[in-house]
Amino acid sequence: MLGCCRFTFTRAPSIVNNGGNRGGLSCKAEAPQFNVNNGDHSKKKKVVIVGSGWAGLGAAHHLCNQGFDVTVLDDGNDFGNPDDVGIQGFWNPYQNIFSLVNELGITPFTNRIRSALYSPEGLEVEFPVFQDQPQLPTPLGTLYYTQFTRLPLVDRLTSLPLMAAVIDFDNTDMAWRKYDAITARELFKQFGCSERIYRNVFGPLLQVGLFAPPEQCSAAATIGMLYFISLAHQKDFDMVWCRGTVRGKIFNPWMDSLRTKGCRFLDGGKMKDFIFNKETSCISGVVCSNETYGADAVILAVGISKVQELVKNSAALCTREEFLKVLNLSGIDLLTCKLQLDRKVNIPHASNVCSTFDDSLGWTFFDLNALHDEHKDSEVTTIRVDFYHANELLPLQDELVVTKVISLLSNIIKDFEKAKVIEKEIARFPKSLTHFFPGSYRHMMRGSTSFPNLFMAGDWIITRHGSWSQEKSYVTGLEAANQVVDFLEEGSFAKIIPVEEDEPHVQALRTLNRRFNEITDQFPLFNFFLQ
């Protein structure tokens, strides 16, 4: 069956770095693709993937390359696609996504561009392209080259003690449980951040990075996100943007490529349940309103709210503790507003993070004339505004939303006051984004489940890779594909690019910190007091 390829066997310490661990060995084919069972479609092992975002397509991509019979179920409404709402940048550490794009032979991204952060008082921060600057040890480069227009040096220096928490947080289960119990606000307060840097810089960044106000964000998620996209290395905060929608520029050509490899994308209607085989303790099928799909393995790659809906209606899932715990989690509302104006408005930066006096709302706005190909040569201005934690905005009529958007933009750039809206496009996505609230970690799922052949993927799934956002979704999709390969014992493991190693001084400090913690753990009564 596998005679068409030669294999080499090497020790694989973990599924994250080497794609899997089958009996302590990783199996890597010298040829990148092959067909299981010599291309006999009727004998191929069947894999059903629910969800067609970064996670679902990532899993489908690798499994199709291994010759499995792959079916992707997604109707867009019932399963949801958190990767296709809101405009999000692609940071420098997104090396697995960049590798995929190169493999697909597409060029969906802009060049690296500068961005800005606004508070209600005006422009606060301009972020340069950090790779263009001389490289300094972290976090000195990020602190030195970032252009703070209002924030005094003394406020900036109060952010340095946060590195102690960064050193202590090493992405292990113990670190997550330690820091997940407190809020981001408590973290900043504990390490002595000034009120001004918290309110005008860290607060807005968290409102768009974790989609909620800092007092509603887990400190563990805060450190993990900031370290991955900004603090690990000076160049990490550099980002590119999609030159159109992610669906149009990346997902559609990606799906076309998968179709040529035999992958089927089906609208199965509303998903209802799984068929549970008591003899094997495995899932043998996925039940949708239109049809039932048999499966040798299943990957569930959807957001929290959709998993919760499935648990409430599934006779199979509601019997398992890890799925019942998901009911303790929550999603965050998003509202997007695309406006075309009757004139050109000079917008200094194409990408902008903003905050309001009302701390519950975070928002971004983008100059689509500078980012998207379709608006490049337009004689009018087209902008896109995304509101996070937008539960107060969802009930508003479109006209009221537009009025609020223009008011907020006019406070930042006065020329918006004179512009008239000639076209609007408003979309609401309730509970579509993951809420990493304090205490949420213990309820989140891992990639494997108590069903031997049911696997999970998405940005809310626990992984030790260390990535975040779209990159994390894609990586967990590859990890789920590796678990399918391991379970079905066919095919080779996907190669997952690990995050770049910590800088030497960070590695040294983390080693010292671990040794210090090992010593203090031996003290009598050390664990007696609340940590």
Side-chain angles (χ1 to χ4, degrees), residues 51-52 72-80 266-271 289:
S52 64
V72 178
L73 301 178
D74 198 346
D75 70 354
N77 293 318
D78 283 328
F79 301 143
L266 302 178
D267 176 3
K270 185 178 179 63
M271 182 177 173
S289 56

Side-chain angles (χ1 to χ4, degrees), residues 19-51:
N21 188 357
R22 183 185 300 159
L25 296 173
S26 81
C27 174
K28 184 178 179 181
E30 294 181 4
Q33 301 178 16
F34 60 89
N35 288 328
V36 178
N37 295 317
N38 297 321
D40 188 344
H41 194 276
S42 63
K43 294 182 180 180
K44 290 181 181 181
K45 295 292 180 66
K46 296 182 179 180
V47 182
V48 174
I49 300 172
V50 182

Side-chain angles (χ1 to χ4, degrees), residues 46-90:
K46 296 182 179 180
V47 182
V48 174
I49 300 172
V50 182
S52 64
W54 284 108
L57 293 181
H61 181 82
H62 181 68
L63 293 174
C64 284
N65 285 346
Q66 304 312 305
F68 290 99
D69 180 0
V70 179
T71 299
V72 178
L73 301 178
D74 198 346
D75 70 354
N77 293 318
D78 283 328
F79 301 143
N81 184 3
D83 300 302
D84 200 24
V85 299
I87 294 181
Q88 299 182 41
F90 293 77

